Amino acid sequence: MAWDFSTEPEFQEQLDWMREFVREEIWPLETLDLDVEQLDRAMGPLQERVKDQGLWAAHLDPELGGQGFGQVKLGLMHEILGTSPFAPLAFGNQAPDSGNSEILALAGTPEQKERWLHPLLAGDLKSAFSMTEPESAGSDPTLLRTRAVKEGDAYVINGHKWFSSNASIADFLIVMAVTDPDARRYQRASMLIVPVDTPGVEIVRDVPTMEHPEGGHGRYGGHAEIYYRDVRVPAENLLGPEGAGFLIAQQRLGPGRIHHCMRWLGVSRRAFDMLCERALYRESHGSVLGEKQTVQNWIADSAAQMQAARLMTLHAAWKMDTEGSSAAREEIALIKFYGAQVLHDVVDRAVQLHGALGYSTDLPLEAMYRFARAARLYDGPDEVHRQSVARSILRGYEPPADGIPSQHVPTRRDAARAKFAHLLEAVTSND
Ligand SMILES: Cc1cc2nc3c(=O)[nH]c(=O)nc-3n(C[C@H](O)[C@H](O)[C@H](O)COP(=O)(O)OP(=O)(O)OC[C@H]3O[C@@H](n4cnc5c(N)ncnc54)[C@H](O)[C@@H]3O)c2cc1C
């Protein structure tokens, strides 16, 4: 009987170290308005300490320079790193580099790994994943329009993308493009490595968003709009076989999605701690807020939702570790939309309880709120995950052959009378 919620003592010590390190060394950096260079300089010594501690790039296998932790340990770790937007950077597993390194590890040739993966893992290169387009629905990537046409020993890419996170500070892009429009739907697209300085790559801007309304260019965490105009890359920049884009994307998005869900647990917890702190000191209408039943409901509901999200996330992680990423698709889709909702609800209550202060930038809550809103969109909007969960569940059911619901009481009563007739008659005759 293996059903165990405990953490190995040695790993618990590592988690305790991470919690302290993130609070003491990384949370303070959030209060400074750092540009990319300053952030890189501030991160350098912190990244060295993480490497010394044996926690660098924990999402990858040891032969790739990672720790090979598996998803459950990563889940416990990300719960701590997720509390700060900068912590994953200090630990070498920030999005989108962590997902891109998984793609390169999975589909890259030895030469591609040497040129792109190893420097990415060492923190010497930055990357972006460029799939979504303004003109086609990102929630249905079979509609992609960007084309990559083979000409001799090169591919020529033309297209328009946006929301390629970190592209304006990246060294290379992993671009999803249609290589064979006549192939079956999920075999039309391929992934290609495109260095940002390739002629024809035009990074127009970081799109102004709810998160960064000022937009601009060159921001860590910015989401870039990009034109690809006759961008020529050598054929050896193709990742995996031609037409394998969706297959690779699926394998990348599984771990990528669950890592987001794990980080959201950390954000929710931080907002929840602020909610509880506020409940204990703010007085209104004759008592502290924590004595009002509405506030108690928020605390209890948040605790229950966070616990549910945590268990669902760790269960999905456990399934990935034991049965693989594909086997855990339904669990990952479940936690993707549920976790995003929990994050949103907890942060929303914390903002509400802080009143005007919660709405102000004097607290990190308003930034968490904007972050939480995006979680319901990226890596697939809520509706698409709900749809895929529902479809998968419905595959386990059949309609009743006769059109009568299987639990229809009059029908079942007739069947029960027939089944137990001998007993019922015996009782009657004894009477
Ligand atoms: C902060 C952020 C970072 C991102 N980073 C990246 C990145 O690094 N690289 C990248 O390529 N992309 C990135 N994206 C893009 C993201 O993946 C897409 O926004 C997402 O896939 C949705 O695509 P779309 O925006 O085109 O919306 P659409 O596909 O137009 O969908 C719009 C809405 O339609 C509804 N909808 C869609 N399908 C269904 C359905 N089947 N049933 C019911 N309703 C439905 C949903 O409400 C959905 O939100 C990022 C987005 C955000 C917000």
Side-chain angles (χ1 to χ4, degrees):
M1 175 70 197
W3 186 259
D4 192 349
F5 292 92
S6 59
T7 309
E8 295 158 15
E10 303 78 46
F11 192 63
Q12 186 57 53
E13 275 178 29
Q14 291 279 47
L15 292 173
D16 294 342
W17 182 87
M18 284 180 236
R19 193 166 283 110
E20 170 87 7
F21 180 76
V22 168
R23 275 172 189 259
E24 298 303 319
E25 307 295 335
I26 298 181
W27 284 12
L29 287 175
E30 296 166 4
T31 61
L32 307 173
D33 193 16
L34 302 177
D35 63 27
V36 178
E37 275 176 24
Q38 289 170 320
L39 185 61
D40 280 348
R41 273 205 300 282
M43 280 292 146
L46 300 179
Q47 290 171 334
E48 288 311 312
R49 287 179 61 189
V50 169
K51 286 177 188 168
D52 292 345
Q53 197 68 20
L55 293 169
W56 179 254
H59 57 295
L60 285 176
D61 289 340
E63 65 269 21
L64 294 168
Q67 312 300 325
F69 274 2
Q71 302 298 336
V72 171
K73 277 186 169 175
L74 270 181
L76 297 170
M77 179 174 175
H78 275 296
E79 204 176 0
I80 297 167
L81 306 192
T83 59
S84 170
F86 296 142
L89 194 56
F91 284 74
N93 52 27
Q94 71 285 356
D97 292 338
S98 58
N100 289 340
S101 61
E102 304 235 16
I103 292 182
L104 288 161
L106 190 84
T109 60
E111 295 73 33
Q112 288 170 342
K113 286 182 185 161
E114 187 63 32
R115 174 142 185 225
W116 307 107
L117 176 60
H118 297 157
L120 186 64
L121 289 180
D124 296 335
L125 292 182
K126 293 187 176 71
S127 67
F129 184 67
S130 193
M131 180 157 98
T132 306
E133 303 172 345
E135 292 87 8
S136 68
S139 52
D140 181 0
T142 62
L143 302 173
L144 282 180
R145 296 185 186 180
T146 298
R147 287 294 314 273
V149 178
K150 187 116 189 254
E151 284 184 13
D153 56 0
Y155 281 96
V156 179
I157 305 170
N158 278 288
H160 183 200
K161 302 277 187 185
W162 77 339
F163 276 83
S164 301
S165 303
N166 273 2
S168 68
I169 58 164
D171 300 284
F172 69 95
L173 312 153
I174 295 184
V175 181
M176 183 90 152
V178 175
T179 36
D180 181 359
D182 301 322
R184 294 165 65 171
R185 281 179 85 204
Y186 289 99
Q187 289 163 7
R188 285 178 199 155
S190 304
M191 286 192 195
L192 295 128
I193 302 171
V194 178
V196 280
D197 54 5
T198 312
V201 175
E202 188 197 342
I203 299 191
V204 182
R205 58 173 179 158
D206 283 333
V207 179
T209 62
M210 200 184 262
E211 207 178 342
H212 299 300
E214 66 282 18
H217 193 287
R219 170 190 281 278
Y220 175 70
H223 310 291
E225 178 180 1
I226 310 174
Y227 279 102
Y228 298 86
R229 293 192 182 97
D230 291 329
V231 174
R232 184 174 284 269
V233 291
E236 67 250 26
N237 282 23
L238 181 71
L239 274 158
E242 206 179 273
F246 285 109
L247 189 67
I248 303 172
Q250 210 50 51
Q251 283 160 329
R252 172 200 190 266
L253 287 173
R257 280 181 184 137
I258 197 160
H259 297 163
H260 280 308
C261 299
M262 294 164 178
R263 293 183 194 115
W264 300 340
L265 299 174
V267 183
S268 312
R269 181 75 218 188
R270 194 168 168 189
F272 180 74
D273 288 344
M274 294 172 71
L275 170 74
C276 294
E277 183 185 79
R278 176 78 166 184
L280 290 179
Y281 73 82
R282 188 70 163 182
E283 287 204 29
S284 171
H285 293 93
S287 70
V288 288
L289 294 173
E291 284 173 25
K292 320 281 181 204
Q293 194 173 26
T294 297
V295 178
Q296 291 167 349
N297 287 345
W298 286 346
I299 293 169
D301 288 348
S302 299
Q305 282 179 285
M306 283 164 36
Q307 174 75 336
R310 184 170 196 262
L311 293 177
M312 284 166 73
T313 305
L314 292 174
H315 175 256
W318 170 82
K319 193 152 180 188
M320 287 170 85
D321 282 345
T322 50
E323 294 178 41
S325 187
S326 310
R329 272 177 81 169
E330 190 178 317
E331 284 76 9
I332 296 171
L334 265 180
I335 188 55
K336 170 69 177 64
F337 75 80
Y338 185 73
Q341 189 65 54
V342 171
L343 170 67
H344 174 272
D345 290 353
V346 176
V347 173
D348 184 57
R349 291 172 191 135
V351 168
Q352 189 70 12
L353 203 66
H354 282 84
L357 179 61
Y359 191 72
S360 78
T361 56
D362 284 357
L363 287 181
L365 285 171
E366 62 79 37
M368 290 179 184
Y369 192 72
R370 289 180 282 137
F371 172 81
R373 193 62 193 81
R376 296 185 51 205
L377 293 168
Y378 57 70
D379 279 0
D382 290 356
E383 294 77 8
V384 173
H385 290 295
R386 284 195 168 94
Q387 176 176 295
S388 92
V389 166
R391 279 185 178 158
S392 157
I393 289 172
L394 287 177
R395 277 196 287 275
Y397 287 82
E398 280 181 8
D402 49 10
I404 298 172
S406 56
Q407 296 298 322
H408 187 242
V409 173
T411 310
R412 287 168 55 224
R413 188 182 294 124
D414 287 347
R417 279 193 183 125
K419 180 172 174 150
F420 300 115
H422 57 296
L423 297 175
L424 299 173
E425 277 160 20
V427 171
T428 310
S429 61
N430 282 345
D431 281 347

